[in-house]
Amino acid sequence: MKINIYYGGRGLLDDPTLYVLGKMEDVLKELRVSVERFNIFEHKSEIYTLPHTFKEADGIILATTVEWLGIGGYMQQFLDACWLYGDKELISSLYMQPIVMSTSYGEREGVMTLENAWVILGGQPCSGLCGYVEDLVSFEMNQEYTLIIEKKAEDLYRSISQKIKALPSSNQAMKQTVLRTQSMDLTPQESEQLSKYVSDDTYVKKQKEDIEELASMFKDILGKSSEEEDKMFVKEFESHFIPQEGFQASYLFMIEGKKQPLLLDVGERELTCAYGNRENIDVYAKLSLDVMSSIVNGRMTFQRAFMTGTMTAKGNFKTLRMLDTVFNFDMK
């Protein structure tokens, strides 16, 4: 029999979980069980490959320490890896015992989190161990606590050797009926290979660079499209502008489909034409993109568009009538 231990704490000397694991390892070795421990913090660059170490194990122990809130990042990443890249068929026959010790609050919630995660993964959960440790020395000296820890190790050995089954769980039913994830149909070998790619920093870095390059390319394309849109009709107005001595006015065209209105600032000798907004406008006009295209292409005048109702306007109507004089788009 072989049992793997996956420790998700930080490896601190005063971590009570390490003491508990040491006692459990002693008991399991006395029962002639092969025990292998994986300190996840030592494998943080290859966490996504750790689920493939389940292959030769009959059972596992998931152990972590609650230092302030929850089971910690290393253990959560490991569970994510089990969900994404673990062999679900192998996990379904694997017994798991959760060990969660706390130096603050939340050890019971931590055990429940590990049990729920393992059930959703399809595995076999065993009765876990949790406790709050205020002073490690007094905890180690307490013989009753030691007996409890040793009893839990024996329970795990008995559950695996006797293939003890658990009653159906609502968590498993929830996974089958409600929980839907977008997953690829991968063989265990393909899943293992993919997890190795994810853990390969060089490969991941190259993928990120490729994504950034594609994003930059599409950004340039979108930027050019946006730039072209911002200049729509501007050249037409500038090229057909006829200055009128003593005449100054401002026009704001709200064109359907355009995010910003087209602003025309007409001076005695120059024209400012750009997309934007401003207050104190002489004439506000609203028209469609097709109508504006017809006007600048000489197929329609501003006056005709206003009279037929295809363009609505408000403001100074004398200034409105000057549009066809200031901008002379030849009729075609």
Side-chain angles (χ1 to χ4, degrees), residues 151-197:
K151 180 68 166 55
K152 282 296 178 182
E154 294 171 0
D155 289 344
L156 176 60
Y157 174 80
R158 191 176 299 110
S159 296
I160 297 173
S161 61
Q162 298 178 6
K163 303 293 182 183
I164 295 176
K165 298 295 182 182
L167 291 174
S169 167
S170 61
N171 284 358
Q172 189 64 29
M174 182 69 70
K175 173 192 172 184
Q176 296 171 352
T177 59
V178 177
L179 192 59
R180 295 288 183 265
T181 59
Q182 294 182 347
S183 59
M184 298 179 288
D185 293 328
L186 300 176
T187 65
Q189 292 77 16
E190 290 172 334
S191 180
E192 181 174 355
Q193 188 64 44
L194 182 59
S195 67
K196 289 179 180 178
Y197 282 141

Side-chain angles (χ1 to χ4, degrees), residues 120-318:
I120 292 175
L121 284 167
Q124 302 290 330
C126 299
S127 176
L129 175 66
C130 64
Y132 167 73
V133 179
E134 185 176 7
D135 178 56
L136 182 59
V137 175
S138 59
F139 181 78
E140 292 177 355
M141 297 298 291
N142 192 308
Q143 292 299 316
E144 293 181 351
Y145 295 161
T146 302
L147 290 175
I148 293 173
I149 296 169
E150 292 174 349
K151 180 68 166 55
K152 282 296 178 182
E154 294 171 0
D155 289 344
L156 176 60
Y157 174 80
R158 191 176 299 110
S159 296
I160 297 173
S161 61
Q162 298 178 6
K163 303 293 182 183
I164 295 176
K165 298 295 182 182
L167 291 174
S169 167
S170 61
N171 284 358
Q172 189 64 29
M174 182 69 70
K175 173 192 172 184
Q176 296 171 352
T177 59
V178 177
L179 192 59
R180 295 288 183 265
T181 59
Q182 294 182 347
S183 59
M184 298 179 288
D185 293 328
L186 300 176
T187 65
Q189 292 77 16
E190 290 172 334
S191 180
E192 181 174 355
Q193 188 64 44
L194 182 59
S195 67
K196 289 179 180 178
Y197 282 141
V198 173
S199 296
D200 186 344
D201 291 338
T202 304
Y203 176 81
V204 173
K205 184 179 179 181
K206 182 66 170 61
Q207 292 298 303
K208 288 182 178 179
E209 289 175 353
D210 291 343
I211 291 172
E212 288 175 1
E213 184 178 348
L214 287 172
S216 178
M217 182 180 69
F218 283 114
K219 186 177 180 181
D220 290 341
I221 294 173
L222 293 173
K224 289 178 181 178
S225 299
S226 178
E227 186 178 347
E228 290 174 359
E229 186 175 339
D230 289 342
K231 291 182 178 180
M232 186 178 289
F233 305 125
V234 172
K235 289 184 179 180
E236 287 83 349
F237 276 99
E238 290 176 343
S239 60
H240 291 82
F241 173 57
I242 302 175
Q244 303 295 314
E245 188 175 347
F247 178 75
Q248 295 182 2
S250 57
Y251 300 90
L252 192 71
F253 292 97
M254 288 167 281
I255 305 171
E256 294 177 7
K258 304 290 288 182
K259 295 180 180 179
Q260 293 285 334
L262 179 60
L263 176 64
L264 302 179
D265 253 329
V266 178
E268 290 189 24
R269 296 184 179 180
E270 60 182 19
L271 168 70
T272 301
C273 182
Y275 283 90
N277 214 332
R278 203 188 68 188
E279 296 181 356
N280 301 322
I281 300 296
D282 295 316
V283 174
Y284 292 88
K286 184 177 181 181
L287 68 171
S288 68
L289 193 64
D290 290 338
V291 173
M292 179 62 86
S293 296
S294 296
I295 293 172
V296 298
N297 288 311
R299 294 191 296 270
M300 182 182 292
T301 63
F302 285 107
Q303 184 67 19
R304 182 182 171 190
F306 177 68
M307 296 299 292
T308 56
T310 54
M311 180 182 78
T312 58
K314 66 177 182 178
N316 190 316
F317 286 95
K318 182 179 179 180

Side-chain angles (χ1 to χ4, degrees), residues 62-66 70-71 75 79 96-102 105-119 125-131 152 171:
L62 297 183
T64 189
T65 307
V66 176
I71 60 175
M75 182 57 71
L79 292 173
M96 186 280 294
Q97 184 178 63
I99 305 294
V100 180
M101 305 306 292
S102 170
Y105 170 80
E107 67 280 357
R108 293 182 183 275
E109 289 80 359
V111 165
M112 189 177 299
T113 298
L114 296 178
E115 288 179 348
N116 289 341
W118 199 250
V119 169
C126 299
S127 176
L129 175 66
C130 64
K152 282 296 178 182
N171 284 358

